[in-house]
Amino acid sequence: MSVDNRPTLSAPDDDPWLWLEEVEGARALDFVEQQNRLTLDKFGGAAFERDTDILAAIYDRSDNIPYVSRSDGLLYNLWKDAKNPRGLWRRTTMAEFRKPETSWETLLDIDKLAAEEGEDWLLNWSSSFPGDAPQTILSLSRGGSDAVTLREFDLNTKSFVAGGFTLPEAKGGVDWVDADTLLLSSAYGGDDMATSSGYSRTVRLWRRGEPVENARVVFETTPDRMSASCDVDRTGEAPRFWFIDRLDFFKFDVWLGTETGATVKLDLPSDIWLQAHRDWFAIKLRSAWSVAGVTHTADSVLGISLSAFLAGDRNFTVVFAPGARRALQGFSWADGKLLLSILDELRPVFEICTPSASGWSRETLRGLPGIGVVDVWRFDHHESESNGDLLANVQDPLTPPSLMLIERGVESPTVLKQAPKTFNADGLVVTQHEAISIDGERIPYVQTGPAGETGDAPVYMSAYGGFGLAVKPQYNSSLGKLWLERGGTTVQANLRGGGEFGTRWHDAGRYAGKKLSHDDFAAVAADLVRRGVTQPKRIAAQGGSNGGILITNMLVRYPERFGALFCTIPLIDMRRYTKLLAGASWIAEYGDPDKPEEWEWLKTYSAYHNAKPGQPYPPILIATTRRDDRVHPGHARKMAAKLQAMGYEAWFYEPAAGGHGYGKDNKERAGFQVLGFQFLKEKIGWRDGEV
């Protein structure tokens, strides 16, 4: 008896499941409701409720670190707990923050606001006017979506400004010109205001009291570009306006101008990172660049005086030179100093470079560990207010985070807050290993769990492998409490497509190389078996977003290496992804399926089209959220429906809120994760405590 396996590689556009792309369609919602009920009936019993309560209680602990950003000398924080599931936006002083029990001033109770207005509000971000001015723009998201409603808020009265700046729901943001003027980069206002990716096509000068429809367009890009935006830089003697024409995810053109528009396009490559400060700027190259008779290698960081550059000088200083496995992860300015974040053989290194008329000086940030996970960033929200203070977060898979202050960027770090230990790590060890991928490349991975090999360990594997983002072995309360503490082992792999070793590593897993990134993950799974850690039927794997492509390719390409798969907020259908929500903005990572030569490689890892009947696929749970307006929930819905139609064990779950994440509050986030754990444990044949 034949089964319907459409769409197929030979007929990629014959898709019987297109109706599931209607996010709020009645038929689609009936499908979701039925699937949710089946999944929760199967995996949502007493153990699920118990573990959800355990995990939510960890997320809601009063002694968790309240991460802060400083503005005009005050520290701001968004706090969520059981009493305040949507959050309290609050602030305090530095003196209070140093105390074991901090006293906070509440600015906005988001739960109260949501109840009063009958909306599913979450606070997404805020944009304040520098200094002691009370003006702030708050972005309110319905259910965690990227699209936000903008409303002006007064920090003195702790209330929304009557007749103030207000903008209906759309993707985008703002920056302040002065207390009565905004530069608006928003897709709101019709099709001519949005790019094909759904982001802002224009920058508008919006004055107080003026209808947004009358705000003058001062900068715009074409619909096929990713977005247009503007940043106001107040670190110099007078404000500078940086206009960004984003060509795609990795390329942009940069213009300088005034609030009335761009005037000078900077003569720079488009595939760079750029950070400007006072009369200096630094760029990180993505590809080699020849200028002023010198060829600079890819991944180098170059610095120069802005005024000298505008006058024609092209004699850049090399601020950072990469190595084969030494790569820049990010850089930022603080009080005239450039902070470089580096991974050297996956070890964290931080350097501070200071420019002057006589050259650039350099020093290594002292007092931070050379292993584990270390993140360092500017304390002050506004660069113009920075006195050089930095914050550092230090952790590893078995050591909870410490939030540290590095005053003026030169003093020894001091601990401000210490996160609690949320699971018993006795007898657990962290080890680093390398697998050999299909083409001979060494693929690093970090393993956490009991010492020694039993050949039967219940293993939870995860990875990302995309967009040049490096994954780090952080302290994970959910995995620690519900997997490691109960005898399991976790593995995090550093796949090509990530940024662990620079552009070379990213490009090897981009475009057609995305398939190679998936080979890397399969190689790590095989290496665990080779080393005697476990056997394939005991390996559970999870991946989200770009990792959704990864997990579904493990299903269809390497089913024999896994016992169960958990695929979250996923990208899967590589034929139609550019037509769904923000998908067009990712062409620079994957390719364009409308170009026949690029579809040739995209179809090799479009699991939606490669899935076929009669294969030894392991059980899979595919989960998304209805309010994810970044990666369309249709990807997850359609893949689950197709697999089920072919008779496979494929489960589906879709809560109503959560955005491109696992839930709008701590309880929802805990439930989403626990559902995945319950599914994976059952399907790899692991009962808690048996190890």
Side-chain angles (χ1 to χ4, degrees):
M1 184 176 67
S2 63
V3 297
D4 190 346
N5 65 336
R6 294 176 296 163
T8 63
L9 291 176
S10 59
D13 300 314
D14 182 12
D15 189 344
W17 305 107
L18 289 178
W19 55 274
L20 286 169
E21 294 179 1
E22 299 175 23
V23 177
E24 300 289 345
R27 186 183 176 195
L29 291 183
D30 285 344
F31 170 87
V32 170
E33 182 180 355
Q34 179 186 28
Q35 294 289 325
N36 284 352
R37 184 170 59 252
L38 291 170
T39 300
L40 290 172
D41 285 349
K42 176 65 174 175
F43 304 104
F48 166 81
E49 297 293 343
R50 178 201 66 203
D51 285 354
T52 297
D53 289 343
I54 289 172
L55 193 53
I58 289 174
Y59 293 157
D60 286 334
R61 286 181 63 136
S62 61
D63 56 351
N64 286 331
I65 295 177
Y67 288 97
V68 293
S69 179
R70 188 167 61 189
S71 183
D72 190 35
L74 294 174
L75 281 54
Y76 290 78
N77 163 259
L78 178 63
W79 179 260
K80 296 182 179 182
D81 58 24
K83 285 182 58 180
N84 308 281
R86 297 174 185 273
L88 292 176
W89 189 43
R90 58 189 191 171
R91 66 184 177 186
T92 191
T93 64
M94 188 65 190
E96 272 295 325
F97 191 72
R98 290 181 183 272
K99 296 178 181 179
E101 298 293 332
T102 301
S103 177
W104 295 88
E105 174 191 8
T106 298
L107 296 168
L108 181 64
D109 183 330
I110 295 103
D111 291 273
K112 182 180 177 182
L113 177 72
E116 290 175 348
E117 300 189 350
E119 289 282 4
D120 192 17
W121 288 137
L122 295 175
L123 181 60
N124 197 312
W125 49 261
S126 63
S127 177
S128 62
F129 191 69
D132 60 0
Q135 293 94 340
T136 298
I137 297 294
L138 298 187
S139 69
L140 297 169
S141 162
R142 289 191 297 120
S145 64
D146 287 347
V148 293
T149 295
L150 304 183
R151 291 164 68 174
E152 187 178 5
F153 189 84
D154 189 305
L155 293 171
N156 291 341
T157 63
K158 303 176 193 174
S159 62
F160 291 103
V161 177
F165 290 108
T166 303
L167 190 74
E169 186 178 65
K171 290 186 179 182
V174 297
D175 208 342
W176 292 90
V177 176
D178 55 45
D180 295 308
T181 313
L182 295 173
L183 281 168
L184 175 67
S185 306
S186 173
Y188 175 77
D191 293 341
D192 57 343
M193 291 297 173
T195 65
S196 59
S197 299
Y199 297 106
S200 176
R201 186 183 161 190
T202 66
V203 178
R204 287 172 275 182
L205 188 68
W206 189 14
R207 302 189 186 279
R208 185 176 297 281
E210 177 183 48
V212 68
E213 292 78 11
N214 295 346
R216 183 160 66 92
V217 173
V218 296
F219 186 74
E220 64 182 310
T221 189
T222 55
D224 58 318
R225 300 283 176 91
M226 182 174 169
S227 65
S229 61
C230 182
D231 292 321
V232 183
D233 174 8
R234 293 180 170 85
T235 62
E237 294 181 358
R240 282 192 299 258
F241 296 82
W242 295 89
F243 290 91
I244 308 299
D245 181 0
R246 193 156 188 178
L247 284 65
D248 60 35
F249 207 91
F250 306 110
K251 296 180 179 179
F252 56 87
D253 290 335
V254 186
W255 299 70
L256 272 172
T258 69
E259 68 269 26
T260 60
T263 54
V264 178
K265 182 181 178 183
L266 272 65
D267 180 22
L268 293 168
S270 61
D271 58 341
I272 59 171
W273 300 349
L274 182 148
Q275 293 287 340
H277 182 82
R278 298 178 185 168
D279 189 40
W280 299 93
F281 75 94
I283 60 171
K284 183 255 187 187
L285 302 177
R286 208 177 183 283
S287 55
W289 183 39
S290 296
V291 62
V294 179
T295 298
H296 300 285
T297 61
D299 290 344
S300 297
V301 176
L302 311 179
I304 197 170
S305 158
L306 177 59
S307 58
F309 178 86
L310 294 175
D313 187 2
R314 296 297 183 269
N315 293 304
F316 287 87
T317 297
V318 177
V319 181
F320 170 81
R325 290 167 82 90
R326 174 182 168 90
L328 188 81
Q329 302 301 305
F331 61 115
S332 60
W333 290 93
D335 193 30
K337 301 176 185 294
L338 183 67
L339 171 69
L340 304 179
S341 173
I342 302 162
L343 280 182
D344 190 340
E345 289 284 0
L346 300 180
R347 295 186 298 270
V349 177
F350 297 89
E351 295 181 352
I352 293 181
C353 302
T354 307
S356 69
S358 59
W360 291 67
S361 64
R362 177 192 311 272
E363 60 181 321
T364 300
L365 207 55
R366 302 182 301 275
L368 295 171
I371 58 173
V373 177
V374 184
D375 296 299
V376 180
W377 65 96
R378 186 181 67 244
F379 194 174
D380 295 279
H381 177 75
H382 296 291
E383 201 172 316
S384 58
E385 294 180 351
S386 175
N387 66 350
D389 288 353
L390 305 172
L391 291 177
N393 203 34
V394 178
Q395 60 188 302
D396 67 41
L398 301 179
T399 307
S402 295
L403 180 66
M404 311 178 85
L405 173 65
I406 308 172
E407 294 186 274
R408 296 180 297 284
V410 295
E411 301 295 331
S412 295
T414 58
V415 176
L416 291 175
K417 299 288 182 182
Q418 174 73 56
K421 293 182 178 180
T422 56
F423 62 91
N424 183 357
D426 292 348
L428 302 180
V429 296
V430 180
T431 54
Q432 292 183 301
H433 308 272
E434 288 184 337
I436 304 302
S437 194
I438 194 169
D439 61 345
E441 181 65 78
R442 294 180 294 139
I443 309 302
Y445 64 95
V446 173
Q447 177 179 321
T448 306
E453 290 80 31
T454 66
D456 198 44
V459 173
Y460 179 100
M461 281 184 65
S462 63
Y464 185 71
F467 293 92
L469 298 176
V471 297
K472 302 174 183 178
Q474 298 173 325
Y475 189 82
N476 187 311
S477 293
S478 60
L479 283 174
K481 189 67 179 177
L482 303 181
W483 202 277
L484 291 174
E485 187 179 278
R486 298 179 182 179
T489 294
T490 64
V491 169
Q492 186 177 69
N494 298 104
L495 313 181
R496 282 174 287 187
E500 289 85 349
F501 303 126
T503 299
R504 172 191 69 86
W505 194 254
H506 176 209
D507 283 351
R510 189 163 71 115
Y511 291 145
K514 190 63 63 181
K515 185 179 178 183
L516 200 58
S517 176
H518 304 157
D519 293 328
D520 295 348
F521 193 69
V524 173
D527 199 58
L528 294 171
V529 176
R530 180 193 66 80
R531 290 178 44 235
V533 175
T534 191
Q535 50 186 314
K537 69 179 183 180
R538 297 280 271 181
I539 300 179
Q542 184 269 332
S545 193
N546 169 77
I549 312 175
L550 168 69
I551 293 300
T552 52
N553 271 270
M554 294 306 99
L555 181 82
V556 301
R557 294 186 58 218
Y558 290 100
E560 73 284 356
R561 299 195 185 183
F562 300 92
L565 300 169
F566 183 31
C567 178
T568 62
I569 50 174
L571 184 65
I572 302 174
D573 178 358
M574 303 312 293
R575 181 66 170 180
R576 286 182 52 78
Y577 86 92
T578 57
K579 299 173 174 62
L580 301 174
L581 297 175
S585 66
W586 311 321
I587 288 175
E589 177 74 11
Y590 305 116
D592 188 345
D594 289 334
K595 295 179 178 178
E597 67 277 14
E598 297 187 11
W599 171 242
E600 283 302 307
W601 74 60
L602 279 161
K603 71 181 183 182
T604 67
Y605 55 84
S606 184
Y608 185 53
H609 295 83
N610 282 284
K612 55 189 178 183
Q615 304 303 306
Y617 294 163
I620 187 171
L621 169 60
I622 306 174
T624 186
T625 78
R626 196 167 314 148
R627 289 297 296 171
D628 188 348
D629 56 351
R630 191 180 312 173
V631 178
H632 197 290
H635 286 277
R637 294 173 176 181
K638 295 197 303 177
M639 187 65 176
K642 178 180 177 178
L643 289 171
Q644 291 173 2
M646 291 189 294
Y648 291 112
E649 185 179 356
W651 300 84
F652 179 81
Y653 177 63
E654 181 187 297
H660 192 57
Y662 290 175
K664 67 174 181 285
D665 57 40
N666 290 339
K667 188 68 177 283
E668 286 189 4
R669 185 160 60 103
F672 193 106
Q673 293 173 292
V674 169
L675 188 68
F677 292 151
Q678 292 296 121
F679 166 80
L680 293 174
K681 287 179 178 181
E682 178 174 318
K683 296 307 173 183
I684 65 171
W686 179 37
R687 293 184 300 274
D688 286 344
E690 76 172 32
V691 179

